[in-house]
Amino acid sequence: MATSHGIKLAVYLISSFFGDLNAKVCECLLRRGTLTLAQIMQFTELSSPNARKCLLVLIHHNCVQAFNVQQEGTFGTAPRIVTHYMALFDYIIHRIRLPKFMEIVTKEFDKECDQIFEGLVQHGRLSLQQILDRHGATAKKGKSGADAALDRFKRLVSARFVERCPAPEPFIAPPTEDEKAAAKKKGRKAAQMDEKTIEIQALEAAAPMESLRFSIEMESLNDDASEKTKEMAIGEKRKKDEKELLAKDENQVLWRVNVEEFLRRLRNKACVANVKARLNDEAAIVLDAILELSKSSETKVKVDHSAPVSIDSIYDAVITKEGGIGMDLERIRSSLAQLGCEVPLVPLDESYSIDLKNIIEMAKIEEVEPIVWRRYGKEAYRMFRLLSQSGRLMPTDEISDSTFVEKKDAVRILLGLWKDDYLEMRKVLLRGNNQTELMLWRVNKESLWKQVLDELYHAALNLRIRIIHEQELDHQVVGELRTSNRGDPKQRRLKLESAFFNLDDVIMIFHDF
């Protein structure tokens, strides 16, 4: 969801990491949509070599996806294949989460795995041979060192922290005559609803098959190639020709960070934290156990429900967790009821699934309610809370009576929330002896979440700019500044960075989960 301030944040991130020229190309694609190289050159006024160079860098760091489409010929000319480029907004924003991903890897594996993962974070895409060369295993430690490094890489792939890169330039075939005929039969509206955008088709065509996504082909290692890199020092960054960044050879398998796995873990952590604060520790322990048990069957971040898990499996997992040793089946069932789970109709198959979508919705509401309180006051908070919980259209009188606010004040507050797009209003004419107009109110969550997300992006952009400013001050600081009332620049920067990462946690709730 690329909102106005979301695009500004993405462009600023690209500028910070890769420079202004790359940011210019990225902004062009984010604002104008999918474009060809000629169009990018036209809108950015960059030369062909510069535009190509920028696209190669952005593709290599998973910020742009290229794909080929067939362009119809004119006046007897044959159709030709044209390459299009689209910006991957989500992957650009994910760059601010790389420290969180690194922290997860560090906690789960040893330092050597951490170094391998760090290489992918820095370089975007690498082949297995490049990963091992960078790690320095074949250079200084011999074959046993190479085997150890390969084993650590396998552990990262097995944990789904690393995945195969998508195809560099998939071909999107034009619809066949049968498909066109089927679309005509469905009707224009139905066809538009079923039709996937060219961007979605490109992403699906580029994605590797699930069976190959985490598969390591050992024959891709080349012992001869490793001999040529023996003189390279550990961690040394190799200088490459720009064309090598894209790795045109489709037979070469490239690897990158698997963002989905990290987002899934961060989502689970956010859900458990929300339940712990909203309900109690026992419900959080039960939820954590279910999410851990169902992780093997989950492949997507945005799912409505967790996979069904039997009560026996839940009990076995709960008693192994801190605070869960004393919990029996009845207390677990009580926590499951608090989490919204219904008692199974078949007692012999007592399995439970958690409504994750509802937990995320509750987390969003809890983030918005304090904003309403600060901006509009306590009465507005009570009205907004009532409407968000009811989920239906409510008349002004009912809202006024339920929140104990005078009708005149209620109308004023509701209109204020409506003008700022926090509420949706509908007017209904009641016909009778005296025709009256009735105002109905509700929270339009879809539009409200988008508005709040844009405000969060705005705040994140301002924080990011302030952090960079503090870093510059830290480098330029002199003795008299250290003794001034401004305090230690490093401490200020650390506080700002902590606030930034906390803000990003909220952004993920509204956008990624």
Side-chain angles (χ1 to χ4, degrees), residues 175-303:
T176 62
E177 293 299 326
D178 293 339
E179 290 173 341
K180 290 179 181 178
K184 284 183 180 179
K185 287 182 180 179
K186 285 184 179 180
R188 187 175 179 181
K189 276 192 175 181
Q192 286 177 347
M193 290 178 66
D194 294 340
E195 185 180 0
K196 294 179 180 178
T197 63
I198 190 72
E199 288 81 8
I200 293 176
Q201 293 180 54
L203 291 175
E204 290 180 349
M209 291 189 299
E210 197 66 26
S211 59
L212 294 175
R213 189 177 170 192
F214 304 102
S215 173
I216 303 175
E217 292 182 357
M218 299 310 300
E219 58 270 11
S220 63
L221 284 172
N222 190 329
D223 293 333
D224 294 334
S226 65
E227 288 295 327
K228 298 178 182 178
T229 60
K230 283 187 176 181
E231 69 278 4
M232 295 183 61
I234 296 176
E236 180 183 354
K237 185 177 180 182
R238 293 182 301 275
K239 296 181 180 179
K240 300 180 179 181
D241 184 81
E242 292 297 339
K243 290 184 179 180
E244 291 180 354
L245 288 173
L246 190 56
K248 286 285 187 180
D249 184 6
E250 294 183 2
N251 295 322
Q252 184 182 22
V253 177
L254 297 180
W255 299 87
R256 68 175 183 178
V257 174
N258 178 21
V259 171
E260 283 188 0
E261 175 62 24
F262 290 100
L263 289 181
R264 189 187 64 79
R265 294 188 180 220
L266 292 171
R267 179 209 64 189
N268 292 352
K269 182 180 176 181
C271 287
V272 171
N274 176 266
V275 166
K276 185 175 182 178
R278 184 165 49 87
L279 299 177
N280 52 55
D281 290 351
E282 290 192 350
I285 292 171
V286 171
L287 174 61
D288 190 24
I290 293 176
L291 292 175
E292 188 175 312
L293 290 167
S294 60
K295 67 180 180 181
S296 60
S297 58
E298 285 186 11
T299 57
K300 295 183 179 179
V301 180
K302 294 183 179 180
V303 293

Side-chain angles (χ1 to χ4, degrees), residues 2 28 44 67 93-94 126 150 156 167 172 184 193 229 231 276-277 286 309 347 397 402 419 423 437 451 485 513:
C28 178
T44 60
F67 61 94
I93 298 298
H94 290 328
L126 293 173
L150 182 59
L156 289 171
I172 310 302
K184 284 183 180 179
M193 290 178 66
T229 60
E231 69 278 4
K276 185 175 182 178
V286 171
V309 182
D397 290 340
S402 300
K419 287 179 181 177
L423 296 180
E437 187 178 65
Q451 178 185 333
N485 293 330
F513 303 158

Side-chain angles (χ1 to χ4, degrees), residues 23 29 35 52 55 88 161 185 207 224 235 241 258 294-295 312 342 358 363 375 378 397 406 416 445 474 496 500:
L29 290 171
L35 299 172
R52 288 178 183 273
L55 288 170
L88 304 177
F161 289 156
K185 287 182 180 179
D224 294 334
D241 184 81
N258 178 21
S294 60
K295 67 180 180 181
D312 293 334
E342 297 180 357
N358 182 61
R375 291 184 180 179
K378 183 170 62 175
D397 290 340
E406 292 290 336
K445 293 180 180 178
D474 196 14
L496 289 171
F500 179 80

